[in-house]
Amino acid sequence: MPPRAARTPLTLAVLSLLAEGPRHPYEMQALIRQRHVGDVVRLRGGSLYDAIARLAGIGLIEAVGSDRAGARPERTVYAVTPAGRVQLTEQLREYLAEQAEEFPVFPAGLAHALHLPAAEVVALLRRRAAALTTRIADVDADLAVAHAAAVPRAVLLEAEYAQTLRRAELAWLDGIVTELESGTLAWPELEEQ
């Protein structure tokens, strides 16, 4: 079995894309954007290229050729290996069936929000709600384009799931803001020490 460090969401994304067929990194990046995989996989700078090098180094993927389009530079094409297919299915089973301990920052902020005045919390939650509203509209538009282009729904499930969570969060935020403004959610005034 590959090292535990290789079992990341980015590893899963790379193995999944290559299980669909051999690809070069630029094509993988385009598909990650098109399918909104970036909503569930942290990508920074050259992290995709680093992951590809790491996965090739441990034998989960391999270079199978190169591709050149017009005057562009030659691009290495990668494919998943049999060991990579095993990793993909094992990791998918783990991710789908097991609840992971995740520590997102928003709930951490909520846990300590009482250190701010209620009016400021309302303003901050409204700002978050406005950003969520914009994000929901943007992703809805992208999903409509993907559906019109006959992108299979199965490859868009994570984007649909993320949209469902965004909508639920937006409804929750609206409810909390309403309760804070009406006074039905009591807000303690902490004494400064």
Side-chain angles (χ1 to χ4, degrees), residues 26-183:
Y26 182 79
E27 183 181 4
M28 285 187 258
Q29 270 187 328
L31 286 169
I32 285 170
R33 275 192 305 274
Q34 178 189 18
R35 296 178 183 178
H36 288 274
V37 175
D39 290 350
V40 295
V41 173
R42 186 180 312 256
L43 285 175
R44 293 186 199 151
S47 60
L48 176 63
Y49 292 91
D50 292 342
I52 289 167
R54 185 173 34 83
L55 295 175
I58 59 174
L60 297 180
I61 65 173
E62 63 186 355
V64 293
S66 60
D67 184 10
R68 180 185 298 258
R72 292 191 172 130
E74 196 168 324
R75 297 177 177 153
T76 303
V77 176
Y78 294 90
V80 68
T81 64
R85 286 188 185 278
V86 169
Q87 164 92 10
L88 172 63
T89 57
E90 287 176 358
Q91 197 170 342
L92 275 171
R93 288 178 180 131
E94 176 186 332
Y95 278 27
L96 291 174
E98 298 173 18
Q99 183 171 354
E101 290 296 322
E102 299 168 310
F103 302 98
V105 297
F106 180 57
L110 290 173
H112 306 286
L114 59 101
H115 291 281
L116 295 173
E120 185 176 357
V121 171
V122 165
L124 293 169
L125 295 181
R126 283 188 186 283
R127 189 167 92 195
R128 183 178 183 91
L132 265 174
T133 300
T134 300
R135 182 71 175 140
I136 289 168
D138 290 347
V139 174
D140 278 346
D142 290 345
L143 286 172
V145 169
H147 290 302
V151 173
R153 183 172 175 223
V155 300
L156 300 171
L157 291 178
E158 77 280 354
E160 287 182 16
Y161 173 74
Q163 284 293 81
T164 299
L165 293 180
R166 286 183 194 104
R167 285 187 172 91
E169 181 180 335
L170 185 58
W172 184 84
L173 286 170
D174 289 343
I176 294 299
V177 165
T178 299
E179 288 182 45
L180 283 168
E181 289 179 331
S182 70

